[in-house]
Amino acid sequence: MAQINLKVNGKARAVDADQDIPLLYALRDQLGLNGPKFGCGKGQCGACTVIVNGQATRSCITPAATVQGKAVTTLEGLGSSAKPGKLQQAFIDTQAVQCGYCINGMIMTATALLAKNKNPSDQQITEALAGNLCRCGTHQRIVAAVKRAITA
């Protein structure tokens, strides 16, 4: 066991864990942040996505020790149910959520995209979100939500 020092949602946090613990487990199990979800465990579905230093990152395959000193943002860092962030509110307004399991990854990936490209085209949004799996089929609403956040 070792202490891993993280900067999560703007706050210094420490977890006691093995050096190779996935960031996802440190966030969920030790810090109680339930935005990132366990999906496939192989970095393929996107449910676990967080933002590390501005990059959408699959937390299930990222060792927590490798992000020490880097800024980690989870869904909880974007807003709350009482005061959702602009993109979160756009997802609510467009009813882009059905089961909700993929939404963490969709919102986090879209947040990283919008930080780099303030006005992406539908194609750019679709390409950025292509690695995030949604079984409910709300892809059109998800793209509409991202577009809504741009104009909000």
Side-chain angles (χ1 to χ4, degrees):
M1 290 287 218
Q3 185 173 28
I4 301 171
N5 297 305
L6 302 172
K7 185 176 181 185
V8 181
N9 300 328
K11 297 179 184 172
R13 306 290 299 269
V15 297
D16 290 318
D18 292 331
Q19 286 291 323
D20 60 348
I21 186 174
L23 179 59
L24 175 65
Y25 297 166
L27 294 171
R28 289 183 61 84
D29 300 342
Q30 301 226 2
L31 300 180
L33 299 169
N34 295 316
K37 306 288 186 237
F38 180 85
C40 66
K42 297 180 180 183
Q44 296 177 351
C45 73
C48 67
T49 303
V50 298
I51 298 172
V52 178
N53 281 358
Q55 297 292 318
T57 303
R58 304 299 165 96
S59 65
C60 72
I61 58 170
T62 302
T66 66
V67 300
Q68 290 192 89
K70 297 177 182 177
V72 177
T73 305
T74 68
L75 189 65
E76 292 88 351
L78 301 181
S80 66
S81 57
K83 189 173 180 189
K86 184 166 78 168
L87 188 57
Q88 291 167 314
Q89 188 62 54
F91 271 69
I92 294 166
D93 293 343
T94 58
Q95 297 179 355
V97 180
Q98 282 191 4
C99 82
Y101 210 81
C102 72
I103 295 303
N104 171 77
M106 296 292 189
I107 290 175
M108 298 311 291
T109 302
T111 297
L113 169 66
L114 294 176
K116 293 177 183 157
N117 183 346
K118 302 292 183 206
N119 192 21
S121 66
D122 287 4
Q123 181 178 349
Q124 290 169 317
I125 295 168
T126 300
E127 287 173 4
L129 297 175
N132 295 72
L133 302 179
C134 172
R135 293 185 177 188
C136 298
T138 62
H139 290 89
Q140 290 178 331
R141 288 189 207 162
I142 290 168
V143 171
V146 175
K147 293 298 277 187
R148 183 181 186 115
I150 293 167
T151 60

